[in-house]
Amino acid sequence: MRTFIAALLILVSLPACAQFTLGGGIEYFSWTEDTQPIKVKESGPLAVFTIGYTQPREQGFLFAYRGEVYFGDVNYDGALLFSPNVPVSSQTQYVGTANEAQVRYRTQGFDVLAALGIDVWNRQLSSNQQEDYRVAFVRLGVEYATGQHGWLFAAGAKYPVWTQENAHFTDLGFDQNPTLTPGKELSGYASAGYRFDSHWSVLGFFDGYRFGQSNTVFVTAGGVPQGGFVQPATNTYVLGIRAQYSF
């Protein structure tokens, strides 16, 4: 969150000729875990606010930045952690921020981009059960814009190059708090929209992650071994719409 706010202050201080954007919208969030005998599913709306900066250049290599914050409560359908056969329905609270630096090559309306980013979020399942995720990712893709107005398109692939999950085991009564490392798998993203003039545009978008099962960690409670824990294989995506104002 501090990184996002710092980036916003930097963008506001840029000269008027710089191309930067502010946006906001809503996204449908989905999270599924490959658990047995009851599969964990979460879904619901999240609010999202975005900022961005693109170096103003008609062609050639240029730099860009994209950032966002997102938050909201979604429905949880799954099972209890220590009683996987007992179904339960509740709500999960999410809050997170993503920031990425991009290098682009622009020609005739097309941008080919490569990006490196960090996505950090908190998943609050109950008063004493939460998870903190940190994911570094690379993104490769293409974007197309028709100029001052017209259609906008983007598509590409994303891969998490580094993952870390803090499951806060000590909050659950265990003696240790080992780090989980979700597996890394390729995913895709896409967006489409329309620019009405040099300032306003509307975009629909799809993005997400695919994580394989994490490493197994072992914990004790009062010195007594409690067995191993993993983060199951997980698929998560967002499908949303946002309005965007460009300066």
Side-chain angles (χ1 to χ4, degrees), residues 17-20 53-64 66 102-112 145 147-148 195 247:
C17 62
Q19 180 184 347
F20 66 96
Y53 166 75
T54 303
Q55 187 178 0
R57 183 172 294 175
E58 293 185 0
Q59 62 180 8
F61 285 101
L62 54 94
F63 168 80
R66 298 292 183 266
Q102 302 178 347
V103 176
R104 295 168 171 250
Y105 186 80
R106 175 169 294 172
T107 176
Q108 298 180 349
F110 282 93
D111 283 7
V112 179
Q148 295 297 309
R195 177 176 290 158
F247 292 78

mmCIF file of all heavy atoms in Angstrom, residues 17-20 53-64 66 102-112 145 147-148 195 247:
data_model
loop_
_atom_site.group_PDB
_atom_site.id
_atom_site.type_symbol
_atom_site.label_atom_id
_atom_site.label_comp_id
_atom_site.label_asym_id
_atom_site.label_seq_id
_atom_site.Cartn_x
_atom_site.Cartn_y
_atom_site.Cartn_z
ATOM 1 N N CYS A 17 2.772 17.252 -19.602
ATOM 2 C CA CYS A 17 2.934 16.539 -20.863
ATOM 3 C C CYS A 17 3.042 15.029 -20.665
ATOM 4 O O CYS A 17 2.972 14.270 -21.617
ATOM 5 C CB CYS A 17 4.159 17.049 -21.609
ATOM 6 S SG CYS A 17 5.711 16.798 -20.709
ATOM 7 N N ALA A 18 3.264 14.591 -19.437
ATOM 8 C CA ALA A 18 3.398 13.160 -19.189
ATOM 9 C C ALA A 18 2.032 12.486 -19.308
ATOM 10 O O ALA A 18 0.999 13.073 -18.988
ATOM 11 C CB ALA A 18 3.986 12.923 -17.810
ATOM 12 N N GLN A 19 2.000 11.255 -19.802
ATOM 13 C CA GLN A 19 0.764 10.517 -19.961
ATOM 14 C C GLN A 19 0.566 9.600 -18.766
ATOM 15 O O GLN A 19 1.243 8.589 -18.627
ATOM 16 C CB GLN A 19 0.802 9.687 -21.242
ATOM 17 C CG GLN A 19 -0.467 8.879 -21.477
ATOM 18 C CD GLN A 19 -0.368 7.980 -22.695
ATOM 19 O OE1 GLN A 19 0.539 8.135 -23.499
ATOM 20 N NE2 GLN A 19 -1.297 7.043 -22.818
ATOM 21 N N PHE A 20 -0.358 9.962 -17.868
ATOM 22 C CA PHE A 20 -0.664 9.066 -16.761
ATOM 23 C C PHE A 20 -2.164 8.924 -16.603
ATOM 24 O O PHE A 20 -2.947 9.731 -17.127
ATOM 25 C CB PHE A 20 0.017 9.481 -15.453
ATOM 26 C CG PHE A 20 -0.444 10.781 -14.869
ATOM 27 C CD1 PHE A 20 -1.414 10.787 -13.886
ATOM 28 C CD2 PHE A 20 0.116 11.987 -15.261
ATOM 29 C CE1 PHE A 20 -1.828 11.980 -13.306
ATOM 30 C CE2 PHE A 20 -0.290 13.178 -14.680
ATOM 31 C CZ PHE A 20 -1.260 13.178 -13.705
ATOM 32 N N TYR A 53 1.435 5.133 -15.624
ATOM 33 C CA TYR A 53 2.238 6.136 -16.330
ATOM 34 C C TYR A 53 2.858 5.477 -17.555
ATOM 35 O O TYR A 53 3.372 4.354 -17.477
ATOM 36 C CB TYR A 53 3.346 6.690 -15.436
ATOM 37 C CG TYR A 53 4.393 7.473 -16.207
ATOM 38 C CD1 TYR A 53 4.128 8.755 -16.673
ATOM 39 C CD2 TYR A 53 5.641 6.913 -16.485
ATOM 40 C CE1 TYR A 53 5.070 9.462 -17.392
ATOM 41 C CE2 TYR A 53 6.597 7.616 -17.204
ATOM 42 C CZ TYR A 53 6.312 8.888 -17.656
ATOM 43 O OH TYR A 53 7.252 9.583 -18.378
ATOM 44 N N THR A 54 2.779 6.157 -18.691
ATOM 45 C CA THR A 54 3.420 5.686 -19.915
ATOM 46 C C THR A 54 4.245 6.816 -20.503
ATOM 47 O O THR A 54 3.727 7.923 -20.706
ATOM 48 C CB THR A 54 2.385 5.213 -20.954
ATOM 49 O OG1 THR A 54 1.568 4.189 -20.372
ATOM 50 C CG2 THR A 54 3.079 4.660 -22.186
ATOM 51 N N GLN A 55 5.489 6.557 -20.755
ATOM 52 C CA GLN A 55 6.365 7.576 -21.334
ATOM 53 C C GLN A 55 5.804 8.006 -22.688
ATOM 54 O O GLN A 55 5.541 7.171 -23.550
ATOM 55 C CB GLN A 55 7.772 6.998 -21.502
ATOM 56 C CG GLN A 55 8.813 8.009 -21.939
ATOM 57 C CD GLN A 55 10.189 7.370 -22.031
ATOM 58 O OE1 GLN A 55 10.362 6.182 -21.764
ATOM 59 N NE2 GLN A 55 11.172 8.155 -22.404
ATOM 60 N N PRO A 56 5.581 9.296 -22.897
ATOM 61 C CA PRO A 56 4.988 9.761 -24.160
ATOM 62 C C PRO A 56 5.998 9.675 -25.307
ATOM 63 O O PRO A 56 6.943 10.454 -25.390
ATOM 64 C CB PRO A 56 4.595 11.216 -23.851
ATOM 65 C CG PRO A 56 5.508 11.632 -22.751
ATOM 66 C CD PRO A 56 5.804 10.404 -21.938
ATOM 67 N N ARG A 57 5.792 8.709 -26.184
ATOM 68 C CA ARG A 57 6.670 8.517 -27.331
ATOM 69 C C ARG A 57 5.879 7.813 -28.417
ATOM 70 O O ARG A 57 5.137 6.886 -28.156
ATOM 71 C CB ARG A 57 7.894 7.691 -26.935
ATOM 72 C CG ARG A 57 8.915 7.504 -28.042
ATOM 73 C CD ARG A 57 10.170 6.839 -27.516
ATOM 74 N NE ARG A 57 10.859 7.726 -26.572
ATOM 75 C CZ ARG A 57 11.925 7.369 -25.877
ATOM 76 N NH1 ARG A 57 12.414 6.148 -25.991
ATOM 77 N NH2 ARG A 57 12.496 8.213 -25.053
ATOM 78 N N GLU A 58 6.021 8.262 -29.659
ATOM 79 C CA GLU A 58 5.227 7.720 -30.749
ATOM 80 C C GLU A 58 5.729 6.378 -31.238
ATOM 81 O O GLU A 58 4.947 5.564 -31.737
ATOM 82 C CB GLU A 58 5.193 8.714 -31.920
ATOM 83 C CG GLU A 58 4.426 9.997 -31.586
ATOM 84 C CD GLU A 58 4.299 10.909 -32.788
ATOM 85 O OE1 GLU A 58 4.806 10.528 -33.876
ATOM 86 O OE2 GLU A 58 3.705 11.989 -32.660
ATOM 87 N N GLN A 59 7.026 6.111 -31.112
ATOM 88 C CA GLN A 59 7.558 4.823 -31.537
ATOM 89 C C GLN A 59 8.873 4.549 -30.828
ATOM 90 O O GLN A 59 9.480 5.451 -30.251
ATOM 91 C CB GLN A 59 7.754 4.781 -33.050
ATOM 92 C CG GLN A 59 8.757 5.791 -33.576
ATOM 93 C CD GLN A 59 8.899 5.702 -35.093
ATOM 94 O OE1 GLN A 59 8.150 4.995 -35.755
ATOM 95 N NE2 GLN A 59 9.868 6.405 -35.634
ATOM 96 N N GLY A 60 9.277 3.279 -30.850
ATOM 97 C CA GLY A 60 10.524 2.891 -30.210
ATOM 98 C C GLY A 60 10.305 2.405 -28.788
ATOM 99 O O GLY A 60 9.186 2.170 -28.332
ATOM 100 N N PHE A 61 11.414 2.261 -28.068
ATOM 101 C CA PHE A 61 11.364 1.770 -26.700
ATOM 102 C C PHE A 61 10.886 2.860 -25.748
ATOM 103 O O PHE A 61 11.228 4.041 -25.904
ATOM 104 C CB PHE A 61 12.748 1.285 -26.249
ATOM 105 C CG PHE A 61 13.144 -0.036 -26.844
ATOM 106 C CD1 PHE A 61 14.015 -0.089 -27.928
ATOM 107 C CD2 PHE A 61 12.625 -1.224 -26.340
ATOM 108 C CE1 PHE A 61 14.374 -1.307 -28.482
ATOM 109 C CE2 PHE A 61 12.983 -2.445 -26.884
ATOM 110 C CZ PHE A 61 13.860 -2.490 -27.962
ATOM 111 N N LEU A 62 10.073 2.469 -24.755
ATOM 112 C CA LEU A 62 9.591 3.408 -23.753
ATOM 113 C C LEU A 62 9.333 2.661 -22.456
ATOM 114 O O LEU A 62 9.231 1.434 -22.420
ATOM 115 C CB LEU A 62 8.331 4.132 -24.232
ATOM 116 C CG LEU A 62 7.144 3.283 -24.696
ATOM 117 C CD1 LEU A 62 6.171 3.052 -23.565
ATOM 118 C CD2 LEU A 62 6.455 3.941 -25.876
ATOM 119 N N PHE A 63 9.209 3.431 -21.364
ATOM 120 C CA PHE A 63 8.984 2.886 -20.030
ATOM 121 C C PHE A 63 7.547 3.154 -19.607
ATOM 122 O O PHE A 63 6.949 4.186 -19.959
ATOM 123 C CB PHE A 63 9.941 3.540 -19.032
ATOM 124 C CG PHE A 63 9.599 3.263 -17.592
ATOM 125 C CD1 PHE A 63 9.957 2.066 -16.994
ATOM 126 C CD2 PHE A 63 8.903 4.203 -16.838
ATOM 127 C CE1 PHE A 63 9.635 1.797 -15.677
ATOM 128 C CE2 PHE A 63 8.578 3.957 -15.516
ATOM 129 C CZ PHE A 63 8.951 2.746 -14.938
ATOM 130 N N ALA A 64 6.971 2.228 -18.830
ATOM 131 C CA ALA A 64 5.622 2.414 -18.283
ATOM 132 C C ALA A 64 5.544 1.792 -16.894
ATOM 133 O O ALA A 64 6.334 0.911 -16.542
ATOM 134 C CB ALA A 64 4.570 1.807 -19.203
ATOM 135 N N ARG A 66 2.441 0.424 -13.967
ATOM 136 C CA ARG A 66 1.049 0.137 -13.659
ATOM 137 C C ARG A 66 0.940 -0.271 -12.188
ATOM 138 O O ARG A 66 1.769 -1.043 -11.693
ATOM 139 C CB ARG A 66 0.505 -1.001 -14.531
ATOM 140 C CG ARG A 66 0.515 -0.711 -16.024
ATOM 141 C CD ARG A 66 -0.484 0.378 -16.400
ATOM 142 N NE ARG A 66 -0.523 0.610 -17.833
ATOM 143 C CZ ARG A 66 0.191 1.532 -18.466
ATOM 144 N NH1 ARG A 66 1.018 2.300 -17.767
ATOM 145 N NH2 ARG A 66 0.090 1.695 -19.775
ATOM 146 N N GLN A 102 7.235 -1.696 -16.671
ATOM 147 C CA GLN A 102 7.146 -2.252 -18.015
ATOM 148 C C GLN A 102 8.157 -1.597 -18.953
ATOM 149 O O GLN A 102 8.411 -0.388 -18.864
ATOM 150 C CB GLN A 102 5.739 -2.037 -18.597
ATOM 151 C CG GLN A 102 4.616 -2.640 -17.788
ATOM 152 C CD GLN A 102 3.252 -2.339 -18.388
ATOM 153 O OE1 GLN A 102 3.126 -1.491 -19.278
ATOM 154 N NE2 GLN A 102 2.215 -3.019 -17.900
ATOM 155 N N VAL A 103 8.705 -2.394 -19.833
ATOM 156 C CA VAL A 103 9.475 -1.909 -20.976
ATOM 157 C C VAL A 103 8.676 -2.257 -22.224
ATOM 158 O O VAL A 103 8.278 -3.414 -22.414
ATOM 159 C CB VAL A 103 10.877 -2.545 -21.039
ATOM 160 C CG1 VAL A 103 11.600 -2.092 -22.305
ATOM 161 C CG2 VAL A 103 11.685 -2.163 -19.812
ATOM 162 N N ARG A 104 8.417 -1.258 -23.066
ATOM 163 C CA ARG A 104 7.583 -1.446 -24.250
ATOM 164 C C ARG A 104 8.337 -1.067 -25.520
ATOM 165 O O ARG A 104 9.205 -0.189 -25.485
ATOM 166 C CB ARG A 104 6.307 -0.589 -24.160
ATOM 167 C CG ARG A 104 5.358 -0.963 -23.029
ATOM 168 C CD ARG A 104 4.288 0.093 -22.831
ATOM 169 N NE ARG A 104 3.264 -0.355 -21.902
ATOM 170 C CZ ARG A 104 2.012 -0.656 -22.246
ATOM 171 N NH1 ARG A 104 1.629 -0.531 -23.503
ATOM 172 N NH2 ARG A 104 1.142 -1.057 -21.345
ATOM 173 N N TYR A 105 7.944 -1.708 -26.616
ATOM 174 C CA TYR A 105 8.402 -1.261 -27.927
ATOM 175 C C TYR A 105 7.172 -0.930 -28.747
ATOM 176 O O TYR A 105 6.295 -1.778 -28.948
ATOM 177 C CB TYR A 105 9.228 -2.324 -28.638
ATOM 178 C CG TYR A 105 9.817 -1.805 -29.929
ATOM 179 C CD1 TYR A 105 10.970 -1.019 -29.916
ATOM 180 C CD2 TYR A 105 9.196 -2.065 -31.148
ATOM 181 C CE1 TYR A 105 11.502 -0.516 -31.093
ATOM 182 C CE2 TYR A 105 9.714 -1.562 -32.335
ATOM 183 C CZ TYR A 105 10.870 -0.786 -32.296
ATOM 184 O OH TYR A 105 11.395 -0.275 -33.462
ATOM 185 N N ARG A 106 7.071 0.314 -29.206
ATOM 186 C CA ARG A 106 5.869 0.820 -29.866
ATOM 187 C C ARG A 106 6.102 1.006 -31.354
ATOM 188 O O ARG A 106 7.112 1.582 -31.774
ATOM 189 C CB ARG A 106 5.440 2.136 -29.225
ATOM 190 C CG ARG A 106 4.265 2.832 -29.897
ATOM 191 C CD ARG A 106 3.765 3.967 -29.045
ATOM 192 N NE ARG A 106 3.195 3.456 -27.788
ATOM 193 C CZ ARG A 106 2.810 4.239 -26.774
ATOM 194 N NH1 ARG A 106 2.970 5.556 -26.859
ATOM 195 N NH2 ARG A 106 2.299 3.697 -25.699
ATOM 196 N N THR A 107 5.123 0.548 -32.158
ATOM 197 C CA THR A 107 5.158 0.773 -33.592
ATOM 198 C C THR A 107 3.750 0.680 -34.154
ATOM 199 O O THR A 107 3.028 -0.288 -33.892
ATOM 200 C CB THR A 107 6.072 -0.247 -34.302
ATOM 201 O OG1 THR A 107 5.996 -0.038 -35.715
ATOM 202 C CG2 THR A 107 5.678 -1.675 -33.987
ATOM 203 N N GLN A 108 3.322 1.701 -34.885
ATOM 204 C CA GLN A 108 2.049 1.725 -35.612
ATOM 205 C C GLN A 108 0.854 1.284 -34.766
ATOM 206 O O GLN A 108 0.042 0.462 -35.177
ATOM 207 C CB GLN A 108 2.164 0.847 -36.863
ATOM 208 C CG GLN A 108 3.212 1.339 -37.842
ATOM 209 C CD GLN A 108 3.316 0.456 -39.068
ATOM 210 O OE1 GLN A 108 2.756 -0.634 -39.103
ATOM 211 N NE2 GLN A 108 4.028 0.914 -40.075
ATOM 212 N N GLY A 109 0.757 1.817 -33.570
ATOM 213 C CA GLY A 109 -0.381 1.527 -32.700
ATOM 214 C C GLY A 109 -0.221 0.321 -31.815
ATOM 215 O O GLY A 109 -1.005 0.125 -30.892
ATOM 216 N N PHE A 110 0.771 -0.536 -32.088
ATOM 217 C CA PHE A 110 1.005 -1.722 -31.282
ATOM 218 C C PHE A 110 2.142 -1.487 -30.293
ATOM 219 O O PHE A 110 3.155 -0.867 -30.622
ATOM 220 C CB PHE A 110 1.364 -2.919 -32.172
ATOM 221 C CG PHE A 110 0.179 -3.543 -32.847
ATOM 222 C CD1 PHE A 110 -0.191 -3.143 -34.131
ATOM 223 C CD2 PHE A 110 -0.566 -4.520 -32.212
ATOM 224 C CE1 PHE A 110 -1.283 -3.719 -34.762
ATOM 225 C CE2 PHE A 110 -1.653 -5.106 -32.838
ATOM 226 C CZ PHE A 110 -2.016 -4.700 -34.111
ATOM 227 N N ASP A 111 1.952 -1.985 -29.073
ATOM 228 C CA ASP A 111 3.015 -2.046 -28.077
ATOM 229 C C ASP A 111 3.305 -3.502 -27.756
ATOM 230 O O ASP A 111 2.381 -4.266 -27.431
ATOM 231 C CB ASP A 111 2.610 -1.339 -26.771
ATOM 232 C CG ASP A 111 2.695 0.165 -26.873
ATOM 233 O OD1 ASP A 111 2.941 0.679 -27.979
ATOM 234 O OD2 ASP A 111 2.498 0.836 -25.844
ATOM 235 N N VAL A 112 4.553 -3.896 -27.870
ATOM 236 C CA VAL A 112 5.007 -5.186 -27.354
ATOM 237 C C VAL A 112 5.667 -4.909 -26.015
ATOM 238 O O VAL A 112 6.547 -4.048 -25.921
ATOM 239 C CB VAL A 112 6.000 -5.862 -28.314
ATOM 240 C CG1 VAL A 112 6.477 -7.190 -27.740
ATOM 241 C CG2 VAL A 112 5.352 -6.069 -29.682
ATOM 242 N N ALA A 145 -3.841 0.239 -29.573
ATOM 243 C CA ALA A 145 -4.682 1.413 -29.363
ATOM 244 C C ALA A 145 -4.748 2.191 -30.671
ATOM 245 O O ALA A 145 -3.749 2.319 -31.383
ATOM 246 C CB ALA A 145 -4.122 2.298 -28.255
ATOM 247 N N GLY A 147 -5.416 5.436 -31.085
ATOM 248 C CA GLY A 147 -5.081 6.851 -31.016
ATOM 249 C C GLY A 147 -5.950 7.587 -30.018
ATOM 250 O O GLY A 147 -6.169 7.128 -28.904
ATOM 251 N N GLN A 148 -6.494 8.739 -30.428
ATOM 252 C CA GLN A 148 -7.273 9.575 -29.530
ATOM 253 C C GLN A 148 -8.625 8.968 -29.183
ATOM 254 O O GLN A 148 -9.197 9.282 -28.152
ATOM 255 C CB GLN A 148 -7.469 10.965 -30.150
ATOM 256 C CG GLN A 148 -6.179 11.748 -30.328
ATOM 257 C CD GLN A 148 -5.505 12.035 -29.010
ATOM 258 O OE1 GLN A 148 -6.139 12.538 -28.070
ATOM 259 N NE2 GLN A 148 -4.221 11.734 -28.909
ATOM 260 N N ARG A 195 -11.924 3.798 -26.174
ATOM 261 C CA ARG A 195 -11.522 5.149 -25.779
ATOM 262 C C ARG A 195 -12.453 6.141 -26.456
ATOM 263 O O ARG A 195 -12.526 6.217 -27.689
ATOM 264 C CB ARG A 195 -10.064 5.409 -26.184
ATOM 265 C CG ARG A 195 -9.588 6.824 -25.865
ATOM 266 C CD ARG A 195 -8.116 6.988 -26.210
ATOM 267 N NE ARG A 195 -7.287 6.229 -25.303
ATOM 268 C CZ ARG A 195 -6.041 5.834 -25.590
ATOM 269 N NH1 ARG A 195 -5.525 6.089 -26.780
ATOM 270 N NH2 ARG A 195 -5.346 5.165 -24.689
ATOM 271 N N PHE A 247 -4.406 11.699 -18.472
ATOM 272 C CA PHE A 247 -3.948 13.087 -18.486
ATOM 273 C C PHE A 247 -2.846 13.242 -19.520
ATOM 274 O O PHE A 247 -1.976 12.393 -19.642
ATOM 275 C CB PHE A 247 -3.394 13.486 -17.125
ATOM 276 C CG PHE A 247 -4.440 13.563 -16.046
ATOM 277 C CD1 PHE A 247 -4.911 12.399 -15.447
ATOM 278 C CD2 PHE A 247 -4.949 14.778 -15.634
ATOM 279 C CE1 PHE A 247 -5.867 12.454 -14.447
ATOM 280 C CE2 PHE A 247 -5.905 14.844 -14.630
ATOM 281 C CZ PHE A 247 -6.371 13.665 -14.039
#
